[in-house]
Amino acid sequence: EFLTWTSDDNLYKSNALEKMISYLNKNKNVDLVSMNFDYIDENGNFIENFENTFNHKRTVLNLLHRNNVGSAFMYRKSIANKVGKYDKKAFCVEDFDYWCRIALSGNISYTSDNIYKYRIHSSSLSATKKTEIDKKTKELRKKYLYQFFNKFKYSWYDRIIAMMKFKIYSKSILNNFIIFLFKFYSLIVRLFSILFFWNKKNRHKFVEIFLPNFSFLCRKG
């Protein structure tokens, strides 16, 4: 009835499966649940909490900005039958591709329950295939961007922000002109911050005040 998988260098906490199964049983309208987890080093020492690496809330609307489902997840067999198998051509980002397909065909939910440990080490796939992962992630965004726009009713402003971030241009001349104006405005704000604020923290605060939805220009996530 429910499906999940894990990499052999990571660890489930003792209550992980119970938590995810319980959530799906209580929330019949949810097709996939994503929970929180810890990053650990090669020796099992805590590094960082997954949710703390985001500057935006983990929601399906922000899924294309970054794979926010992560590694602690469970989904229904019914949605798997609907969206089909993982795409072998999307190797390195096949999980991200799958979550996008589930988001477009069903419902994804997120919780802060911490149930998992994700091990970071130099020989992991994410470390050794980083260039390929980055390239394929960009391709996925271009592939699914307009489908996300249509299903989740993004505002015109959010659409332009997303297209700017992902360097995807609209077929609309008007949208492209607005993108140009936003880029010009963001350039002026950043130049002003560099000229008048030598302290980086003050510079970032200034940019975030005048470009509140452009936080990706100066911070990770």
Side-chain angles (χ1 to χ4, degrees):
E1 185 179 355
F2 304 124
L3 301 170
T4 190
W5 51 265
T6 186
S7 301
D8 59 6
D9 48 359
N10 300 331
L11 300 167
Y12 280 119
K13 294 183 179 180
S14 61
N15 62 343
L17 297 179
E18 179 185 359
K19 284 270 188 181
M20 293 189 288
I21 290 171
S22 176
Y23 186 90
L24 290 174
N25 278 330
K26 291 177 182 177
N27 298 273
K28 302 296 184 180
N29 62 319
V30 173
D31 296 294
L32 179 150
V33 60
S34 163
M35 294 191 175
N36 192 21
F37 59 87
D38 293 329
Y39 287 110
I40 59 173
D41 64 17
E42 295 180 8
N43 299 315
N45 299 312
F46 174 81
I47 299 175
E48 194 170 16
N49 182 281
F50 176 60
E51 285 196 343
N52 290 343
T53 64
F54 292 86
N55 292 318
H56 55 261
K57 188 176 181 180
R58 287 202 306 136
T59 67
V60 70
L61 293 178
N62 289 319
L63 176 58
L64 277 182
H65 286 271
R66 182 176 151 195
N67 181 355
N68 60 22
V69 170
S71 303
F73 59 85
M74 182 174 282
Y75 52 95
R76 299 182 188 279
K77 187 175 182 180
S78 56
I79 194 67
N81 291 337
K82 188 174 181 180
V83 302
K85 297 181 179 180
Y86 286 81
D87 185 358
K88 293 181 180 179
K89 294 179 182 178
F91 176 65
C92 290
V93 292
E94 67 273 13
D95 55 342
F96 194 7
D97 174 78
Y98 205 66
W99 313 149
C100 289
R101 286 156 56 193
I102 289 178
L104 292 168
S105 298
N107 296 307
I108 295 178
S109 185
Y110 300 83
T111 82
S112 295
D113 297 281
N114 195 314
I115 63 165
Y116 191 82
K117 295 181 180 181
Y118 182 97
R119 193 183 307 275
I120 296 177
H121 55 91
S122 58
S123 59
S124 67
L125 187 66
S126 56
T128 58
K129 298 283 187 179
K130 186 178 185 307
T131 301
E132 186 176 353
I133 290 171
D134 290 344
K135 180 183 177 182
K136 289 190 173 182
T137 297
K138 290 177 182 178
E139 292 173 354
L140 276 183
R141 287 168 174 158
K142 290 182 179 180
K143 179 180 179 180
Y144 292 118
L145 186 66
Y146 285 99
Q147 293 180 57
F148 267 68
F149 283 171
N150 293 333
K151 175 172 180 178
F152 300 111
K153 309 299 180 185
Y154 284 67
S155 69
W156 67 269
Y157 185 77
D158 288 332
R159 291 181 182 223
I160 289 170
I161 295 297
M163 286 188 288
M164 284 182 62
K165 182 178 180 181
F166 305 146
K167 298 180 180 179
I168 299 172
Y169 288 90
S170 170
K171 296 177 182 179
S172 165
I173 296 175
L174 176 60
N175 281 354
N176 286 335
F177 178 68
I178 295 173
I179 290 172
F180 169 78
L181 291 179
F182 269 116
K183 284 188 173 182
F184 182 73
Y185 170 67
S186 66
L187 177 63
I188 296 299
V189 171
R190 282 182 289 169
L191 286 175
F192 188 88
S193 69
I194 292 170
L195 288 172
F196 291 93
F197 298 98
W198 297 108
N199 183 288
K200 286 186 177 181
K201 288 185 178 179
N202 290 335
R203 189 185 304 168
H204 286 181
K205 286 180 181 178
F206 177 83
V207 171
E208 289 180 11
I209 289 170
F210 287 92
L211 298 174
N213 289 307
F214 286 73
S215 59
F216 58 82
L217 293 171
C218 57
R219 296 193 302 186
K220 67 178 180 178

